[in-house]
Amino acid sequence: MAPDTMGLVNQGRQKTGGPAAVRATQTTSANSGSPSAYGSDFLQLDAGEAPVGGKSDWLAGRLREAMADGRLTVGSSLPPTRVLAAELRVSRGVVAEAYRRLTEDGHIEGRRRGGTVVVAVPIAVSPMTPPGPGTGAGTSRPSAPATAKRAVPSTLFVGEPGNDIFDALRAVRARIDFTPGQPDLTAFPRAAWLRAERTVLTELSAENLGYGDPRGTPQLRTAIAGWLARSRGIRADPDEVLVVAGTAQALTLLHPVLRADGIDGVAVEDPGSLGTRQHLQNGALATPPVPLDDSGVRVEALRATGARAVLLTPAHQFPTGVVTSGERRRELQRWAQDGGLILEDDYDAEHRYDRPPVPALRALLADHVCYMGSVSKLLAPALRIGWVIPPRRHRDALIDAKRFTDLGNAVLPQLVLARLMDSGDLERHLRLLRGRHRRRRDAMINAIAEHLPGAVVHGAAAGLHLTITYRAEVPDPELATAALARGVKCQPLSWHRRLPGRPGLVLGYAATPVGAIAEGIAILGEALRELA
């Protein structure tokens, strides 16, 4: 918590002095003949600046500016709605509505007795743009300084992306970040996590602090089995579950296991995740591409590759969002029964908005599917907690691979996650995220309709991202480069495909406030028109 900022907040509260001070301010203003506008020592807010009928917009914008320019840092407290409304002489509903919008954007959070606290700062307002009612993140059209071009590494989007491409892209700063796969980290349930951690530490025996089971703690494996039964239709015994450090480690552990089984290649969806393909190739496994259609991966093309294994994202295909149809699932079942192995990456299936849940392939083909999942998209990638449910024939070899890699994941985070799953806190967190993500997704779709009218939106019914394709004769690496030069970060669709197809962009929305989404899409539309 920043002492200077908090001093400003406290000083504002002391000077106002409650209702008596408000009455004194009113009297002074009335006697001086000034307009009936009233201000606050807190950020020197003056309700006289607010347009008629737009007081909540004005207040939310001013608070965003204060967060962006450093006057309100993370941890700073905002005045109670009653106090600020009295100081500004506006209705309490005006202040409550402004706070609600900032809460939905992920910038502030109500903490009961702890008051309302800043938990994340919005995109910084350019120093060339004077503060005012039109400069907040709620502005849908970018100002001139916001779209000014800046230097971008000239080779970032040129040629075949290397193994370090995602590290390089993360290192490039951008005002608006549409990187796919990023959850809203400001929504991490800190209070619930702390409660669970205190309970775990209180109940923890000394022996739990020793070396654990390399498969994972029994508590978490049991909790995962229950979670998957409830949410994904998978019936698995806790002894079948292997806890790993995310899907990335699961793939790495599978490399020697697959080769020992005579599998030297894993077919992949095209388009499909570049990162997943890189992990497989790092294990010296071939990755023949298999095209998709509106029903999922084309099984006749999969057969033609001769591959004995395939990696699929059937519940929400990355990056197109296609859901594998029932008929296509039956075709995959016949392929698997002929000796094939399916690696099922269930990376974000819990995030769905406009369609019913889709069961995991593992629920239908237990002996032919190696199922992988994690909490990276639900809680945070930094936790490095995921799980694998392998077919029986690969289970012992995979456990050995985990044992000799790291002796198992850290025990304490496993026990805390198990507590969150068992208590219902994880379901409650998911319900909160679904509402927030739906609003952000809708904002992106609306902005695309306005600023990229020729673009086709794919995969909007679920997930943390959507994909657009467009007809303009502009290669998507050029568009991604032009966007980044204007402060908007995204990924070209061509990164994730090797077969021919229309150009496009993969756009994450889960971690971006609504106002910034509208501004970023407007910038993309501007860049595409200039290039075309």
Side-chain angles (χ1 to χ4, degrees):
M1 187 175 294
D4 293 343
T5 305
M6 290 306 300
L8 175 62
V9 174
N10 292 334
Q11 181 184 15
R13 290 174 179 169
Q14 291 165 5
K15 285 188 177 182
T16 56
V22 172
R23 287 194 296 272
T25 304
Q26 295 171 2
T27 303
T28 303
S29 177
N31 291 342
S32 63
S34 63
S36 56
Y38 295 86
S40 167
D41 285 348
F42 175 68
L43 301 178
Q44 291 76 55
L45 296 172
D46 182 357
E49 298 175 358
V52 176
K55 289 184 173 64
S56 292
D57 282 340
W58 163 81
L59 180 57
R62 291 300 305 274
L63 292 173
R64 286 193 190 98
E65 291 166 16
M67 296 175 203
D69 65 21
R71 286 176 290 158
L72 286 178
T73 58
V74 172
S76 300
S77 296
L78 302 186
T81 55
R82 174 185 53 78
V83 172
L84 189 55
E87 292 179 359
L88 296 176
R89 287 214 64 196
V90 298
S91 73
R92 190 174 181 181
V94 166
V95 181
E97 174 63 17
Y99 282 15
R100 184 189 67 80
R101 296 179 188 183
L102 294 173
T103 300
E104 288 186 350
D105 286 349
H107 297 145
I108 65 175
E109 179 181 279
R111 294 184 176 174
R112 297 181 182 177
R113 294 183 181 179
T116 303
V117 179
V118 177
V119 294
V121 296
I123 299 158
V125 178
S126 167
M128 298 173 63
T129 307
T135 58
T139 306
S140 61
R141 291 189 176 273
S143 61
T147 58
K149 298 179 183 179
R150 60 187 181 83
V152 173
S154 59
T155 59
L156 188 62
F157 294 107
V158 176
E160 184 72 17
N163 290 339
D164 64 344
I165 188 62
F166 296 114
D167 297 330
L169 189 60
R170 275 192 295 268
V172 177
R173 296 184 64 85
R175 293 190 315 107
I176 301 173
D177 192 348
F178 289 151
T179 299
Q182 289 190 154
D184 184 359
L185 299 179
T186 66
F188 184 85
R190 296 170 186 256
W193 185 274
L194 283 172
R195 284 196 306 271
E197 190 168 56
R198 290 191 189 99
T199 301
V200 165
L201 288 172
T202 299
E203 299 174 352
L204 192 67
S205 65
E207 64 183 22
N208 286 131
L209 294 173
Y211 290 103
D213 189 327
R215 298 174 299 171
T217 65
Q219 295 93 324
L220 181 56
R221 287 187 283 117
T222 299
I224 290 171
W227 172 266
L228 296 178
R230 295 191 301 272
S231 63
R232 305 298 298 123
I234 295 174
R235 299 179 67 178
D237 188 272
D239 285 341
E240 299 178 78
V241 177
L242 174 63
V243 177
V244 294
T247 302
Q249 187 185 48
L251 292 173
T252 300
L253 296 176
L254 280 166
H255 295 161
V257 175
L258 295 178
R259 286 197 300 271
D261 195 26
I263 297 174
D264 58 5
V266 177
V268 295
E269 301 161 321
D270 196 288
S273 167
L274 168 63
T276 298
R277 191 168 79 234
Q278 289 178 333
H279 276 285
L280 292 170
Q281 292 170 343
N282 186 58
L285 294 167
T287 55
V290 184
L292 304 163
D293 58 25
D294 291 340
S295 295
V297 69
R298 291 167 50 189
V299 180
E300 74 279 6
L302 171 59
R303 290 186 183 275
T305 67
R308 290 180 50 206
V310 62
L311 192 145
L312 301 176
T313 52
H316 183 244
Q317 199 276 333
F318 184 90
T320 67
V322 167
V323 177
T324 302
S325 69
E327 176 58 34
R328 197 60 53 83
R329 286 169 179 249
R330 288 187 286 274
E331 292 179 36
L332 284 167
Q333 182 174 5
R334 290 190 288 270
W335 174 84
Q337 289 171 342
D338 289 339
L341 173 67
I342 297 172
L343 309 183
E344 181 176 13
D345 183 1
D346 209 23
Y347 69 102
D348 70 353
E350 62 271 11
H351 300 286
R352 57 180 178 81
Y353 317 113
D354 300 329
R355 61 165 172 78
V358 179
L361 284 179
R362 170 77 193 196
L364 308 173
L365 297 167
D367 291 336
H368 302 282
V369 174
C370 181
Y371 178 86
M372 299 174 289
S374 78
V375 295
S376 293
K377 307 296 187 290
L378 181 55
L379 289 173
L383 293 177
R384 309 312 305 140
I385 299 179
W387 45 83
V388 183
I389 306 179
R392 186 179 294 105
R393 67 183 184 275
H394 294 311
R395 190 179 305 155
D396 290 342
L398 202 56
I399 292 170
D400 282 344
K402 176 64 174 174
R403 175 184 293 111
F404 293 118
T405 295
D406 57 17
L407 297 179
N409 282 33
V411 170
L412 285 177
Q414 291 185 64
L415 296 176
V416 175
L417 178 57
R419 185 80 183 185
L420 287 181
M421 288 179 164
D422 292 339
S423 67
D425 281 334
L426 198 58
E427 275 98 343
R428 284 187 284 274
H429 177 64
L430 177 57
R431 287 194 294 271
L432 179 148
L433 289 181
R434 280 178 176 163
R436 179 178 294 188
H437 292 167
R438 183 183 288 110
R439 288 187 290 272
R440 294 179 178 186
R441 180 209 57 177
D442 291 348
M444 180 169 280
I445 291 174
N446 292 337
I448 289 170
E450 179 179 357
H451 300 290
L452 292 162
V456 178
V457 175
H458 307 267
L464 307 180
H465 75 278
L466 53 80
T467 295
I468 62 169
T469 53
Y470 56 90
R471 293 187 178 278
E473 296 299 319
V474 177
D476 50 32
E478 290 186 18
L479 179 54
T481 299
L484 191 54
R486 291 164 169 80
V488 178
K489 188 189 300 188
C490 58
Q491 292 181 9
L493 178 59
S494 59
W495 271 10
H496 302 284
R497 74 179 348 148
R498 287 176 289 173
L499 302 175
R502 288 175 60 179
L505 298 174
V506 187
L507 305 170
Y509 53 77
T512 308
V514 167
I517 287 173
E519 180 184 355
I521 297 300
I523 292 172
L524 287 176
E526 175 188 289
L528 183 58
R529 287 189 294 274
E530 286 188 10
L531 291 172

